[in-house]
Amino acid sequence: MLRTCMLQINLRLILVSGKTKEFLFSPSDSAGDIAHHVFENWPEDWAEEAVAKAEILRLIYQGRFLHSNVTLGALGLPFGKTTVMHLVPRENLPEPNSQGSKMSSELKPEYLIQLKTFVDLCIANPAILHQPEFSFIKSFIEHFGGKIPEAKADSSPKKKPEEPKVPEPQPEPESEESDIELDMTGVIGPDTDVPQKMGNPTLQPTEEEIAESQAKRSEAVSAFAEKDYERAVQFYTEAILLNPQASLLYAKRGQVYLLMNKPNACIRDCDRALELNPDSAAAHKFRGRANHLLGKFEEAANDLRLACKFDFDEQADEWLREVTPNARKIEEHNRKKERKMQEKLERERQERVKKARESAKAHEENTRTSQTDTGPETSGMGDFFQFLKDPEVCQAFNDPEVTEAFKEISTDPTNILKYQSNPKIMAFINKMASKFGGAGGMPGGFPGMMGGMPGFPNPEGAPSNPPNAKVNDDVGLD
């Protein structure tokens, strides 16, 4: 049960439908207490918005959901004044925004090893870069001023002519939505008068000028009460020129322009008032009404909502009710338009990914065909990349000593003699020799390991070179 207190807070609760009701609560009452009280004393004119249980009723204050344990006293709400809150049905409160996990753009170590190995091969035998499948790397190097040595012989495999692809039918562009139907009651055309005087924004008035400005304001109020709007504008202008730092003067003159059906002049005055005081409820209220007269329903709704937030006013609330239906239609229309744009961008992205995959697949097929149709010099390239995917090889390349040894031997095959007494390096060389067999088996002219070096047995019992066979000792060497 809610506790009665001498000092009570008056809450005006607004439903999504726009219906309102005022309640009195104690500062010790929490958002959960308020929800249960309203549920148990549900107003008769809210029958269409009735909910099944009190637990789903949520309070919104200043744009934020209140948790059930937050009390009115903790919010510092004033006594004797009406505080506006929104009451909405919602099962769960929205989770606070959480920062997304940072996406790492680093390559995996095994990919870096493969890339470094390929770069070492290119350094040892630049002719590799003249092969069509590596043209993009060649273009990358030349883009930054590099130069690839000319190939000694055109040994690059020829690609088979690609069959012309039949273009897929493109989806027909979606027709634009027809203009939404809006209630244009009360909308008038813009006024084209010369902009009114605004005064010097840098002027700091003296006490005498402020006093004289107050006197002019009083005359303007009298003229306004007599509905002599032209004289009211004249007196407000004189007051503004004397004290151009008073935001309320601009808002009040904007009110007069509003009654004279000059919404553009009203907006200019309210803009200046809000520059001086962004929390001016009056400036938001009159600018919101002026935007309504110009048919700018979204801007009108935003201004009137702020006016009710800063200082609730019955007239501002009534104007907000008038403009809300059109504003919601426009907001929904814009959401649909944005959603369609996002869907279009997503389709285009998927199409790009599809084309990239098809291009990669065609490239892979052409590369596989060239490796099958050509001799041992080019066929080893595909085998070599398959070899780099071997888990044992990837693990071996994680060892800096093995990587450095591989680089040295790739550059000069005779460097293998340096590692004859190193069991770790020789075990890795045996692994490579078992994969590629004889000399020239590695792309770029990497030697046939121990089987390709004089005095070393061939791996896994492979037959040695015949005595009279000519050994190509210069494979891969420049």
Side-chain angles (χ1 to χ4, degrees), residues 94-231:
E95 295 293 333
N97 294 333
S98 57
Q99 296 181 348
S101 56
K102 187 178 180 181
M103 297 295 291
S104 173
S105 60
E106 298 180 355
L107 291 174
K108 294 182 179 180
E110 55 267 27
Y111 295 156
L112 288 174
I113 293 172
Q114 294 180 19
L115 179 61
K116 185 177 184 302
T117 303
F118 176 71
V119 171
D120 292 338
L121 289 174
C122 293
I123 294 174
N125 185 13
I128 296 175
L129 297 176
H130 290 285
Q131 297 185 20
E133 55 265 32
F134 300 129
S135 60
F136 68 98
I137 301 180
K138 180 182 176 183
S139 300
F140 173 76
I141 295 174
E142 292 175 346
H143 174 76
F144 291 100
K147 185 176 180 182
I148 309 297
E150 295 295 333
K152 295 181 180 179
D154 187 10
S155 59
S156 60
K158 296 182 179 180
K159 289 185 177 180
K160 292 183 179 181
E162 295 183 359
E163 297 181 359
K165 294 184 178 180
V166 179
E168 296 183 1
Q170 297 293 332
E172 296 183 0
E174 298 180 0
S175 59
E176 293 291 334
E177 279 192 22
S178 59
D179 294 338
I180 54 179
E181 296 182 0
L182 300 176
D183 182 7
M184 304 301 288
T185 303
V187 175
I188 63 176
D191 55 282
T192 57
D193 293 352
V194 177
Q196 62 270 36
K197 295 180 181 180
M198 291 292 183
N200 183 1
T202 62
L203 176 66
Q204 295 297 329
T206 62
E207 293 183 2
E208 291 79 5
E209 290 173 331
I210 293 176
E212 188 176 353
S213 174
Q214 291 288 351
K216 294 293 182 182
R217 176 189 172 187
S218 298
E219 294 183 59
V221 172
S222 299
F224 180 84
E226 297 171 2
K227 297 186 178 181
D228 189 349
Y229 299 139
E230 292 289 347
R231 289 181 62 246

